[in-house]
Amino acid sequence: MNNYEIETKYKADEIDIHDFKLLMIEYGFRDEFKYAESTDYYYWKDETFIRHRIGNGRKSEITVKAITEQKNNLIRLEENIPVDSAPEIITRVKNMANILGFTNSFEIFKMAQIYKTDSCVIAYYTIYKNKQTYSFLEIEANEGLSQEKALS
């Protein structure tokens, strides 16, 4: 199992979402489109974080990410675990993170336009954090690709 995440992000506050959509359609990604919303809760400890995501349809997932030995943010270890969406799950995940020594860091609301290609996922997303808005363009290698192929 490949538990590496290989991705890069760019600040995209100056990129208009409609221009991005038109570009993706122009390049033929019309049928590969997905829209997603989520509320994400983040917990940090050293170079590792836990993200608890509650998404569309109230699906819930815990993701643990850690910077690799390369000490960069391009290649990280990642594991995703689907969890119950019971009403108390937010409190239970927070308690678990605290028991493991993680600190509550922040919460965001995220809206994403996601396009999938044969080798990667291209996403434009906007996050809302502390009454501020930030947009990003993210390119992530598809799961299962070797690091060499993903970085080429």
Side-chain angles (χ1 to χ4, degrees), residues 32-84:
E32 308 300 327
F33 171 76
K34 177 182 170 186
Y35 174 78
E37 292 181 356
S38 66
T39 300
D40 296 350
Y41 302 88
Y42 287 83
Y43 308 91
W44 286 86
K45 181 170 87 173
D46 303 322
E47 301 293 328
T48 303
F49 71 87
I50 296 171
R51 178 189 66 215
H52 179 212
R53 171 169 286 163
I54 300 176
N56 301 54
R58 307 312 297 165
K59 293 185 217 170
S60 187
E61 176 182 71
I62 296 173
T63 299
V64 178
K65 296 187 184 192
I67 292 176
T68 63
E69 64 277 357
Q70 288 93 358
K71 295 290 183 192
N72 65 51
N73 206 28
L74 177 64
I75 303 172
R76 298 184 289 194
L77 292 170
E78 175 180 14
E79 193 62 54
N80 298 301
I81 304 165
V83 294
D84 190 330

Side-chain angles (χ1 to χ4, degrees), residues 88-99:
E88 71 277 359
I89 195 67
I90 295 169
T91 301
R92 295 183 72 193
V93 170
K94 178 181 175 182
N95 291 343
M96 178 198 70
N98 292 157
I99 289 169

